[in-house]
PDB file of all heavy atoms in Angstrom:
ATOM      1  N   VAL A   1      10.392   7.607  -3.176  1.00  0.00           N
ATOM      2  CA  VAL A   1       9.234   8.271  -3.768  1.00  0.00           C
ATOM      3  C   VAL A   1       7.950   7.591  -3.318  1.00  0.00           C
ATOM      4  O   VAL A   1       7.012   8.232  -2.868  1.00  0.00           O
ATOM      5  CB  VAL A   1       9.317   8.257  -5.307  1.00  0.00           C
ATOM      6  CG1 VAL A   1       8.022   8.788  -5.919  1.00  0.00           C
ATOM      7  CG2 VAL A   1      10.513   9.059  -5.788  1.00  0.00           C
ATOM      8  N   ALA A   2       7.904   6.269  -3.456  1.00  0.00           N
ATOM      9  CA  ALA A   2       6.699   5.526  -3.117  1.00  0.00           C
ATOM     10  C   ALA A   2       7.049   4.065  -2.859  1.00  0.00           C
ATOM     11  O   ALA A   2       8.055   3.561  -3.350  1.00  0.00           O
ATOM     12  CB  ALA A   2       5.662   5.619  -4.238  1.00  0.00           C
ATOM     13  N   LYS A   3       6.172   3.412  -2.110  1.00  0.00           N
ATOM     14  CA  LYS A   3       6.417   2.038  -1.690  1.00  0.00           C
ATOM     15  C   LYS A   3       5.089   1.318  -1.624  1.00  0.00           C
ATOM     16  O   LYS A   3       4.067   1.923  -1.259  1.00  0.00           O
ATOM     17  CB  LYS A   3       7.084   2.065  -0.322  1.00  0.00           C
ATOM     18  CG  LYS A   3       7.418   0.739   0.308  1.00  0.00           C
ATOM     19  CD  LYS A   3       8.107   1.023   1.653  1.00  0.00           C
ATOM     20  CE  LYS A   3       8.405  -0.235   2.427  1.00  0.00           C
ATOM     21  NZ  LYS A   3       9.075   0.057   3.710  1.00  0.00           N
ATOM     22  N   ILE A   4       5.071   0.040  -1.984  1.00  0.00           N
ATOM     23  CA  ILE A   4       3.845  -0.737  -1.904  1.00  0.00           C
ATOM     24  C   ILE A   4       4.170  -2.136  -1.395  1.00  0.00           C
ATOM     25  O   ILE A   4       5.128  -2.776  -1.860  1.00  0.00           O
ATOM     26  CB  ILE A   4       3.131  -0.774  -3.278  1.00  0.00           C
ATOM     27  CG1 ILE A   4       1.786  -1.493  -3.164  1.00  0.00           C
ATOM     28  CG2 ILE A   4       4.016  -1.407  -4.360  1.00  0.00           C
ATOM     29  CD1 ILE A   4       0.900  -1.299  -4.388  1.00  0.00           C
ATOM     30  N   THR A   5       3.380  -2.613  -0.451  1.00  0.00           N
ATOM     31  CA  THR A   5       3.615  -3.943   0.099  1.00  0.00           C
ATOM     32  C   THR A   5       2.929  -5.011  -0.760  1.00  0.00           C
ATOM     33  O   THR A   5       2.159  -4.706  -1.682  1.00  0.00           O
ATOM     34  CB  THR A   5       3.084  -4.047   1.531  1.00  0.00           C
ATOM     35  OG1 THR A   5       1.648  -4.030   1.499  1.00  0.00           O
ATOM     36  CG2 THR A   5       3.572  -2.897   2.391  1.00  0.00           C
ATOM     37  N   SER A   6       3.191  -6.253  -0.407  1.00  0.00           N
ATOM     38  CA  SER A   6       2.574  -7.359  -1.144  1.00  0.00           C
ATOM     39  C   SER A   6       1.068  -7.401  -0.912  1.00  0.00           C
ATOM     40  O   SER A   6       0.340  -8.030  -1.674  1.00  0.00           O
ATOM     41  CB  SER A   6       3.214  -8.687  -0.735  1.00  0.00           C
ATOM     42  OG  SER A   6       3.064  -8.900   0.652  1.00  0.00           O
ATOM     43  N   HIS A   7       0.606  -6.701   0.137  1.00  0.00           N
ATOM     44  CA  HIS A   7      -0.831  -6.647   0.429  1.00  0.00           C
ATOM     45  C   HIS A   7      -1.484  -5.391  -0.143  1.00  0.00           C
ATOM     46  O   HIS A   7      -2.674  -5.163   0.064  1.00  0.00           O
ATOM     47  CB  HIS A   7      -1.058  -6.694   1.940  1.00  0.00           C
ATOM     48  CG  HIS A   7      -0.525  -7.934   2.582  1.00  0.00           C
ATOM     49  ND1 HIS A   7      -1.082  -9.191   2.387  1.00  0.00           N
ATOM     50  CD2 HIS A   7       0.536  -8.121   3.406  1.00  0.00           C
ATOM     51  CE1 HIS A   7      -0.390 -10.080   3.068  1.00  0.00           C
ATOM     52  NE2 HIS A   7       0.597  -9.463   3.703  1.00  0.00           N
ATOM     53  N   GLY A   8      -0.666  -4.580  -0.844  1.00  0.00           N
ATOM     54  CA  GLY A   8      -1.230  -3.406  -1.493  1.00  0.00           C
ATOM     55  C   GLY A   8      -1.218  -2.136  -0.657  1.00  0.00           C
ATOM     56  O   GLY A   8      -1.754  -1.106  -1.080  1.00  0.00           O
ATOM     57  N   ARG A   9      -0.603  -2.173   0.505  1.00  0.00           N
ATOM     58  CA  ARG A   9      -0.503  -0.966   1.319  1.00  0.00           C
ATOM     59  C   ARG A   9       0.536  -0.039   0.706  1.00  0.00           C
ATOM     60  O   ARG A   9       1.644  -0.481   0.385  1.00  0.00           O
ATOM     61  CB  ARG A   9      -0.128  -1.309   2.752  1.00  0.00           C
ATOM     62  CG  ARG A   9       0.008  -0.095   3.658  1.00  0.00           C
ATOM     63  CD  ARG A   9       0.370  -0.493   5.069  1.00  0.00           C
ATOM     64  NE  ARG A   9       0.582   0.669   5.917  1.00  0.00           N
ATOM     65  CZ  ARG A   9       0.931   0.614   7.187  1.00  0.00           C
ATOM     66  NH1 ARG A   9       1.126  -0.567   7.765  1.00  0.00           N
ATOM     67  NH2 ARG A   9       1.102   1.709   7.892  1.00  0.00           N
ATOM     68  N   THR A  10       0.187   1.233   0.573  1.00  0.00           N
ATOM     69  CA  THR A  10       1.072   2.180  -0.087  1.00  0.00           C
ATOM     70  C   THR A  10       1.585   3.250   0.863  1.00  0.00           C
ATOM     71  O   THR A  10       0.957   3.564   1.884  1.00  0.00           O
ATOM     72  CB  THR A  10       0.369   2.866  -1.266  1.00  0.00           C
ATOM     73  OG1 THR A  10      -0.791   3.561  -0.774  1.00  0.00           O
ATOM     74  CG2 THR A  10      -0.050   1.864  -2.326  1.00  0.00           C
ATOM     75  N   GLU A  11       2.729   3.793   0.488  1.00  0.00           N
ATOM     76  CA  GLU A  11       3.355   4.870   1.256  1.00  0.00           C
ATOM     77  C   GLU A  11       3.998   5.798   0.244  1.00  0.00           C
ATOM     78  O   GLU A  11       4.628   5.333  -0.710  1.00  0.00           O
ATOM     79  CB  GLU A  11       4.404   4.273   2.199  1.00  0.00           C
ATOM     80  CG  GLU A  11       5.239   5.271   2.953  1.00  0.00           C
ATOM     81  CD  GLU A  11       6.340   4.577   3.756  1.00  0.00           C
ATOM     82  OE1 GLU A  11       6.138   3.423   4.186  1.00  0.00           O
ATOM     83  OE2 GLU A  11       7.413   5.187   3.937  1.00  0.00           O
ATOM     84  N   TYR A  12       3.837   7.123   0.463  1.00  0.00           N
ATOM     85  CA  TYR A  12       4.392   8.102  -0.455  1.00  0.00           C
ATOM     86  C   TYR A  12       5.239   9.123   0.288  1.00  0.00           C
ATOM     87  O   TYR A  12       4.955   9.467   1.443  1.00  0.00           O
ATOM     88  CB  TYR A  12       3.274   8.838  -1.198  1.00  0.00           C
ATOM     89  CG  TYR A  12       2.460   7.968  -2.118  1.00  0.00           C
ATOM     90  CD1 TYR A  12       1.286   7.365  -1.685  1.00  0.00           C
ATOM     91  CD2 TYR A  12       2.862   7.755  -3.431  1.00  0.00           C
ATOM     92  CE1 TYR A  12       0.540   6.556  -2.528  1.00  0.00           C
ATOM     93  CE2 TYR A  12       2.130   6.955  -4.290  1.00  0.00           C
ATOM     94  CZ  TYR A  12       0.965   6.357  -3.826  1.00  0.00           C
ATOM     95  OH  TYR A  12       0.230   5.555  -4.670  1.00  0.00           O
ATOM     96  N   ALA A  13       6.229   9.647  -0.399  1.00  0.00           N
ATOM     97  CA  ALA A  13       7.004  10.751   0.144  1.00  0.00           C
ATOM     98  C   ALA A  13       6.121  11.997   0.189  1.00  0.00           C
ATOM     99  O   ALA A  13       5.189  12.151  -0.616  1.00  0.00           O
ATOM    100  CB  ALA A  13       8.224  11.007  -0.738  1.00  0.00           C
ATOM    101  N   ASP A  14       6.407  12.866   1.140  1.00  0.00           N
ATOM    102  CA  ASP A  14       5.568  14.056   1.311  1.00  0.00           C
ATOM    103  C   ASP A  14       5.517  14.909   0.051  1.00  0.00           C
ATOM    104  O   ASP A  14       4.479  15.509  -0.259  1.00  0.00           O
ATOM    105  CB  ASP A  14       6.095  14.889   2.488  1.00  0.00           C
ATOM    106  CG  ASP A  14       5.876  14.195   3.824  1.00  0.00           C
ATOM    107  OD1 ASP A  14       5.018  13.291   3.884  1.00  0.00           O
ATOM    108  OD2 ASP A  14       6.565  14.550   4.804  1.00  0.00           O
ATOM    109  N   HIS A  15       6.616  14.980  -0.690  1.00  0.00           N
ATOM    110  CA  HIS A  15       6.683  15.899  -1.829  1.00  0.00           C
ATOM    111  C   HIS A  15       5.931  15.388  -3.041  1.00  0.00           C
ATOM    112  O   HIS A  15       5.828  16.070  -4.056  1.00  0.00           O
ATOM    113  CB  HIS A  15       8.154  16.162  -2.202  1.00  0.00           C
ATOM    114  CG  HIS A  15       8.891  14.934  -2.641  1.00  0.00           C
ATOM    115  ND1 HIS A  15       8.775  14.400  -3.908  1.00  0.00           N
ATOM    116  CD2 HIS A  15       9.755  14.119  -1.989  1.00  0.00           C
ATOM    117  CE1 HIS A  15       9.534  13.329  -4.004  1.00  0.00           C
ATOM    118  NE2 HIS A  15      10.134  13.130  -2.857  1.00  0.00           N
ATOM    119  N   VAL A  16       5.389  14.170  -2.957  1.00  0.00           N
ATOM    120  CA  VAL A  16       4.683  13.577  -4.099  1.00  0.00           C
ATOM    121  C   VAL A  16       3.417  14.353  -4.425  1.00  0.00           C
ATOM    122  O   VAL A  16       3.024  14.461  -5.590  1.00  0.00           O
ATOM    123  CB  VAL A  16       4.389  12.099  -3.792  1.00  0.00           C
ATOM    124  CG1 VAL A  16       3.311  11.549  -4.682  1.00  0.00           C
ATOM    125  CG2 VAL A  16       5.663  11.293  -3.913  1.00  0.00           C
ATOM    126  N   GLU A  17       2.720  14.853  -3.406  1.00  0.00           N
ATOM    127  CA  GLU A  17       1.560  15.749  -3.568  1.00  0.00           C
ATOM    128  C   GLU A  17       0.446  15.165  -4.419  1.00  0.00           C
ATOM    129  O   GLU A  17      -0.194  15.864  -5.177  1.00  0.00           O
ATOM    130  CB  GLU A  17       2.013  17.082  -4.163  1.00  0.00           C
ATOM    131  CG  GLU A  17       3.028  17.824  -3.314  1.00  0.00           C
ATOM    132  CD  GLU A  17       3.503  19.097  -3.990  1.00  0.00           C
ATOM    133  OE1 GLU A  17       3.203  19.291  -5.177  1.00  0.00           O
ATOM    134  OE2 GLU A  17       4.175  19.885  -3.312  1.00  0.00           O
ATOM    135  N   GLY A  18       0.222  13.879  -4.356  1.00  0.00           N
ATOM    136  CA  GLY A  18      -0.902  13.259  -5.038  1.00  0.00           C
ATOM    137  C   GLY A  18      -0.723  13.049  -6.529  1.00  0.00           C
ATOM    138  O   GLY A  18      -1.628  12.555  -7.194  1.00  0.00           O
ATOM    139  N   ARG A  19       0.447  13.417  -7.065  1.00  0.00           N
ATOM    140  CA  ARG A  19       0.653  13.245  -8.506  1.00  0.00           C
ATOM    141  C   ARG A  19       1.212  11.877  -8.865  1.00  0.00           C
ATOM    142  O   ARG A  19       1.255  11.506 -10.031  1.00  0.00           O
ATOM    143  CB  ARG A  19       1.602  14.343  -9.010  1.00  0.00           C
ATOM    144  CG  ARG A  19       1.070  15.748  -8.835  1.00  0.00           C
ATOM    145  CD  ARG A  19       2.012  16.768  -9.455  1.00  0.00           C
ATOM    146  NE  ARG A  19       3.300  16.804  -8.752  1.00  0.00           N
ATOM    147  CZ  ARG A  19       4.450  16.422  -9.291  1.00  0.00           C
ATOM    148  NH1 ARG A  19       4.483  15.936 -10.522  1.00  0.00           N
ATOM    149  NH2 ARG A  19       5.577  16.510  -8.605  1.00  0.00           N
ATOM    150  N   PHE A  20       1.668  11.146  -7.864  1.00  0.00           N
ATOM    151  CA  PHE A  20       2.286   9.845  -8.093  1.00  0.00           C
ATOM    152  C   PHE A  20       1.350   8.751  -7.569  1.00  0.00           C
ATOM    153  O   PHE A  20       0.788   8.885  -6.483  1.00  0.00           O
ATOM    154  CB  PHE A  20       3.617   9.742  -7.344  1.00  0.00           C
ATOM    155  CG  PHE A  20       4.724  10.602  -7.900  1.00  0.00           C
ATOM    156  CD1 PHE A  20       4.577  11.972  -8.010  1.00  0.00           C
ATOM    157  CD2 PHE A  20       5.915  10.031  -8.287  1.00  0.00           C
ATOM    158  CE1 PHE A  20       5.607  12.767  -8.504  1.00  0.00           C
ATOM    159  CE2 PHE A  20       6.946  10.807  -8.769  1.00  0.00           C
ATOM    160  CZ  PHE A  20       6.802  12.169  -8.882  1.00  0.00           C
ATOM    161  N   THR A  21       1.230   7.679  -8.338  1.00  0.00           N
ATOM    162  CA  THR A  21       0.443   6.537  -7.905  1.00  0.00           C
ATOM    163  C   THR A  21       1.240   5.265  -8.138  1.00  0.00           C
ATOM    164  O   THR A  21       1.616   4.963  -9.269  1.00  0.00           O
ATOM    165  CB  THR A  21      -0.886   6.445  -8.671  1.00  0.00           C
ATOM    166  OG1 THR A  21      -1.613   7.669  -8.515  1.00  0.00           O
ATOM    167  CG2 THR A  21      -1.723   5.291  -8.142  1.00  0.00           C
ATOM    168  N   ILE A  22       1.475   4.530  -7.061  1.00  0.00           N
ATOM    169  CA  ILE A  22       2.183   3.265  -7.179  1.00  0.00           C
ATOM    170  C   ILE A  22       1.168   2.131  -7.164  1.00  0.00           C
ATOM    171  O   ILE A  22       0.171   2.183  -6.442  1.00  0.00           O
ATOM    172  CB  ILE A  22       3.233   3.096  -6.056  1.00  0.00           C
ATOM    173  CG1 ILE A  22       4.120   1.891  -6.318  1.00  0.00           C
ATOM    174  CG2 ILE A  22       2.576   3.020  -4.684  1.00  0.00           C
ATOM    175  CD1 ILE A  22       5.339   1.810  -5.371  1.00  0.00           C
ATOM    176  N   SER A  23       1.415   1.138  -7.976  1.00  0.00           N
ATOM    177  CA  SER A  23       0.558  -0.040  -8.007  1.00  0.00           C
ATOM    178  C   SER A  23       1.441  -1.262  -8.238  1.00  0.00           C
ATOM    179  O   SER A  23       2.624  -1.135  -8.552  1.00  0.00           O
ATOM    180  CB  SER A  23      -0.514   0.079  -9.098  1.00  0.00           C
ATOM    181  OG  SER A  23       0.086   0.235 -10.376  1.00  0.00           O
ATOM    182  N   ARG A  24       0.807  -2.409  -8.106  1.00  0.00           N
ATOM    183  CA  ARG A  24       1.631  -3.607  -8.159  1.00  0.00           C
ATOM    184  C   ARG A  24       0.817  -4.819  -8.575  1.00  0.00           C
ATOM    185  O   ARG A  24      -0.352  -4.959  -8.194  1.00  0.00           O
ATOM    186  CB  ARG A  24       2.223  -3.867  -6.773  1.00  0.00           C
ATOM    187  CG  ARG A  24       3.066  -5.101  -6.688  1.00  0.00           C
ATOM    188  CD  ARG A  24       3.723  -5.222  -5.334  1.00  0.00           C
ATOM    189  NE  ARG A  24       4.447  -6.467  -5.249  1.00  0.00           N
ATOM    190  CZ  ARG A  24       5.125  -6.880  -4.195  1.00  0.00           C
ATOM    191  NH1 ARG A  24       5.174  -6.121  -3.108  1.00  0.00           N
ATOM    192  NH2 ARG A  24       5.763  -8.026  -4.201  1.00  0.00           N
ATOM    193  N   ASP A  25       1.458  -5.676  -9.345  1.00  0.00           N
ATOM    194  CA  ASP A  25       0.924  -7.008  -9.611  1.00  0.00           C
ATOM    195  C   ASP A  25       1.763  -7.949  -8.760  1.00  0.00           C
ATOM    196  O   ASP A  25       2.805  -8.436  -9.205  1.00  0.00           O
ATOM    197  CB  ASP A  25       1.050  -7.332 -11.096  1.00  0.00           C
ATOM    198  CG  ASP A  25       0.503  -8.715 -11.434  1.00  0.00           C
ATOM    199  OD1 ASP A  25       0.213  -9.479 -10.502  1.00  0.00           O
ATOM    200  OD2 ASP A  25       0.362  -9.014 -12.627  1.00  0.00           O
ATOM    201  N   GLY A  26       1.338  -8.171  -7.544  1.00  0.00           N
ATOM    202  CA  GLY A  26       2.174  -8.885  -6.599  1.00  0.00           C
ATOM    203  C   GLY A  26       2.559 -10.275  -7.034  1.00  0.00           C
ATOM    204  O   GLY A  26       3.644 -10.732  -6.759  1.00  0.00           O
ATOM    205  N   ALA A  27       1.665 -10.954  -7.749  1.00  0.00           N
ATOM    206  CA  ALA A  27       1.948 -12.326  -8.139  1.00  0.00           C
ATOM    207  C   ALA A  27       3.107 -12.419  -9.111  1.00  0.00           C
ATOM    208  O   ALA A  27       3.725 -13.464  -9.269  1.00  0.00           O
ATOM    209  CB  ALA A  27       0.700 -12.949  -8.753  1.00  0.00           C
ATOM    210  N   LYS A  28       3.388 -11.288  -9.772  1.00  0.00           N
ATOM    211  CA  LYS A  28       4.445 -11.286 -10.779  1.00  0.00           C
ATOM    212  C   LYS A  28       5.639 -10.423 -10.372  1.00  0.00           C
ATOM    213  O   LYS A  28       6.534 -10.226 -11.166  1.00  0.00           O
ATOM    214  CB  LYS A  28       3.905 -10.780 -12.115  1.00  0.00           C
ATOM    215  CG  LYS A  28       2.820 -11.677 -12.701  1.00  0.00           C
ATOM    216  CD  LYS A  28       2.342 -11.147 -14.043  1.00  0.00           C
ATOM    217  CE  LYS A  28       1.284 -12.040 -14.640  1.00  0.00           C
ATOM    218  NZ  LYS A  28       0.798 -11.527 -15.946  1.00  0.00           N
ATOM    219  N   ASN A  29       5.650  -9.911  -9.136  1.00  0.00           N
ATOM    220  CA  ASN A  29       6.729  -9.010  -8.717  1.00  0.00           C
ATOM    221  C   ASN A  29       6.924  -7.891  -9.723  1.00  0.00           C
ATOM    222  O   ASN A  29       8.051  -7.607 -10.162  1.00  0.00           O
ATOM    223  CB  ASN A  29       8.044  -9.774  -8.507  1.00  0.00           C
ATOM    224  CG  ASN A  29       8.109 -10.457  -7.161  1.00  0.00           C
ATOM    225  OD1 ASN A  29       7.406 -10.073  -6.220  1.00  0.00           O
ATOM    226  ND2 ASN A  29       8.941 -11.480  -7.064  1.00  0.00           N
ATOM    227  N   THR A  30       5.837  -7.278 -10.100  1.00  0.00           N
ATOM    228  CA  THR A  30       5.853  -6.158 -11.032  1.00  0.00           C
ATOM    229  C   THR A  30       5.208  -4.958 -10.357  1.00  0.00           C
ATOM    230  O   THR A  30       4.145  -5.088  -9.749  1.00  0.00           O
ATOM    231  CB  THR A  30       5.090  -6.506 -12.310  1.00  0.00           C
ATOM    232  OG1 THR A  30       5.733  -7.607 -12.961  1.00  0.00           O
ATOM    233  CG2 THR A  30       5.066  -5.317 -13.259  1.00  0.00           C
ATOM    234  N   ALA A  31       5.870  -3.808 -10.455  1.00  0.00           N
ATOM    235  CA  ALA A  31       5.351  -2.590  -9.858  1.00  0.00           C
ATOM    236  C   ALA A  31       5.318  -1.488 -10.902  1.00  0.00           C
ATOM    237  O   ALA A  31       6.122  -1.485 -11.844  1.00  0.00           O
ATOM    238  CB  ALA A  31       6.208  -2.166  -8.673  1.00  0.00           C
ATOM    239  N   PHE A  32       4.388  -0.560 -10.718  1.00  0.00           N
ATOM    240  CA  PHE A  32       4.236   0.550 -11.639  1.00  0.00           C
ATOM    241  C   PHE A  32       4.239   1.854 -10.846  1.00  0.00           C
ATOM    242  O   PHE A  32       3.833   1.895  -9.692  1.00  0.00           O
ATOM    243  CB  PHE A  32       2.928   0.440 -12.416  1.00  0.00           C
ATOM    244  CG  PHE A  32       2.755  -0.863 -13.127  1.00  0.00           C
ATOM    245  CD1 PHE A  32       2.029  -1.899 -12.547  1.00  0.00           C
ATOM    246  CD2 PHE A  32       3.329  -1.076 -14.367  1.00  0.00           C
ATOM    247  CE1 PHE A  32       1.870  -3.110 -13.190  1.00  0.00           C
ATOM    248  CE2 PHE A  32       3.178  -2.288 -15.028  1.00  0.00           C
ATOM    249  CZ  PHE A  32       2.450  -3.306 -14.443  1.00  0.00           C
TER     250      PHE A  32
END
């Protein structure tokens, strides 16, 4: 569905259509 690197770079599946947002607190290995 979505992917985020430790530097904050994001990637989304085509079908997401802007409704999904991935974020991350990299220092804590926590993603939303």
